[in-house]
Amino acid sequence: MKSIKLFFIAVLSIVSTTVFAQKSEIILLAHRGGCGEGMENVESTFKKSLTAGIRAFEIDVRISKDGKIVLQHDNTLKRTAGIDKHVEDMTEKELREVTLKDGSKLLFFDELLKLLKDYPGLFLEIEMKSSKYSDEFLYGSGYSDKVAKMALKAKPAESTYVFTSFDTRPLRYIKEHYPQSETGLITGAGVNHETIAIALAIGAKRMAAHIDKTSRADMDRAHRKGLLVNLWPGKSDDSLLRAWALGADIHCTDYPSHMLDYAKKTCPWLTIK
């Protein structure tokens, strides 16, 4: 019943002058590769999403004790592997010996980039998990340089790779040292005057914000300022149409394959990119 009500809310919004001018398309972004459909940030989940036709991904990257970039969301490996250790305190050798709870292995950034290289036209959001890094560690480890150089070198033709973070420090650094790159601010708040101002102040052209805290008016304001917006989280079918009705450019979901199938069956007029 909730899905039906929200669907009609979305449809009714089309009659507004604002939405008539809106494109009927949206990027469907696989959160951590599609973490609702497999273990997060691992090779098998990315392959499953690619096979289903997904061409947009969000990942999380950290740096190991010996300077290797690895995909990992949490501060520790406790939730995914039962190991209460930080990636930053472990070497590549130690990390490669870790087995996650589903039997998968941790995926290193270079391995993911190699997997994606044969898929032109991809969209990749690379979330930099540096919020708890001290300035000394952030800049001394070469984290931002390593992530940026690896991504820009491996980016397939006609693809868009975006560096994102809740932490403005790596975004400022990358924009200063790699001005050709795209950056995006992530916020747990919605799109509003303050978050728009922060994004613009650090030179970001994109932002990711909470769908439940965002209004259509604020989305329009962000677009007028030249920002592209990713609305998250996407944990139900309703959220896709809600994100589109609000004017989102991107919708980040844990269930990309399911949501793509849902969109094809229920809203064929909506182009999924």
Side-chain angles (χ1 to χ4, degrees), residues 80-200:
T80 54
I83 301 171
D84 195 12
K85 290 185 177 181
H86 295 261
V87 164
E88 293 79 4
D89 294 331
M90 301 174 70
T91 64
E92 177 185 5
K93 182 178 183 297
E94 291 171 328
L95 290 168
R96 290 194 182 279
E97 292 172 351
V98 171
T99 299
L100 302 178
K101 290 181 178 179
D102 74 330
S104 299
K105 291 295 190 178
L106 289 168
L107 185 63
F108 284 77
F109 192 32
D110 61 338
E111 294 170 337
L112 175 68
L113 293 173
K114 183 177 180 180
L115 173 65
L116 299 180
K117 70 179 180 62
D118 294 325
Y119 293 90
L122 286 176
F123 183 88
L124 182 66
E125 282 196 7
I126 305 162
E127 182 178 345
M128 305 181 73
K129 305 297 291 186
S130 57
S131 295
K132 294 192 174 183
Y133 290 1
S134 66
D135 284 349
E136 181 181 7
F137 183 82
L138 175 63
Y139 300 116
S141 66
Y143 171 69
S144 298
D145 284 308
K146 289 179 180 180
V147 173
K149 287 177 180 179
M150 290 173 70
L152 294 173
K153 182 179 180 180
K155 185 169 71 72
E158 301 178 4
S159 294
T160 300
Y161 281 13
V162 183
F163 304 98
T164 67
S165 188
F166 287 89
D167 184 1
T168 60
R169 295 174 301 165
L171 302 184
R172 289 179 184 275
Y173 183 91
I174 286 177
K175 202 62 188 174
E176 178 181 352
H177 293 86
Y178 306 90
Q180 77 276 28
S181 64
E182 291 199 48
T183 57
L185 174 72
I186 308 175
T187 175
V191 177
N192 57 45
H193 287 284
E194 182 180 0
T195 54
I196 289 172
I198 294 171
L200 294 175

Side-chain angles (χ1 to χ4, degrees), residues 49-64:
S49 293
L50 285 165
T51 299
I54 301 299
R55 293 295 181 268
F57 298 94
E58 183 270 352
I59 65 170
D60 310 282
V61 293
R62 294 179 177 273
I63 189 168
S64 70

